Amino acid sequence: AVGETVTFRVAVTNSGDIGLSPVQIDYGYNTNYLSFVTSSIPWNVFTPGSVTWSNIGVLAADSITNIDLSFIALASTMPGYTTNTAVSTVSSTNGIYLPSQTSSAPAQVVSPKITLIKALLSPTNRPAAIGETVIFSIAVTNSGDVALDSVPVTDTFNTNYISFLSALQAVDTTNAGSVVWTNLGPLSV
């Protein structure tokens, strides 16, 4: 969700029989959707949209080094995805250049949001008289970009002045001072 931490892992694997050094990793991401926070291995060069490790160290034969990167989700990618890409540039310890390797990972960022508006419908433009029915409207709107499966709503009121009579949408629980709808969902976008 927007504002949530998103973590990616880059697993750099030496599946050969000779150590690799230097091992450079270039990591790219879309700044419209993600903001880089930190990584488990310190980087050498950072510019918005790109993080580079000029040498993650000697990668021994048949070993793995993981780099975990944390981002903050900035904006919704709906209906699609944003893709982060890691590119390795390596040489073997005996100086043989190896072809670059590229790997990508997609991420979807959503922006769930709900709008709740309670309004007085009757009486309007005057106080209610004792014994008069007071009518409220509660509008629950999915104002985000993903469907909401569960939408609980609790309406509270001061029992010194009003008491609950009924609702067009049946309530699940009536308490002193509140009524509860445990789930008004699913609620589409």
Side-chain angles (χ1 to χ4, degrees), residues 2 12 18-19 21 23 28 30 35 43 48 54 66 78 80 86 99 111 113 118 122-123 131 157 163-164 179 183 189:
V2 171
V12 186
I18 294 176
S21 183
V23 179
N30 189 326
S35 175
W43 63 92
S54 60
N66 292 320
M78 289 300 285
S111 182
K113 199 178 297 181
K118 182 176 180 179
S122 174
F157 50 90
S163 63
F164 176 71
V179 291
N183 187 4
V189 176

Side-chain angles (χ1 to χ4, degrees), residues 120-129 132 135:
L120 176 64
L121 296 182
S122 174
T124 57
N125 300 321
R126 65 173 177 80
E132 181 178 12
I135 301 172

Side-chain angles (χ1 to χ4, degrees), residues 86-108:
V87 178
S88 67
T89 306
V90 298
S91 297
S92 68
T93 51
N94 62 7
I96 297 172
Y97 172 77
L98 300 170
S100 294
Q101 297 289 313
T102 302
S103 184
S104 298
Q108 187 173 48

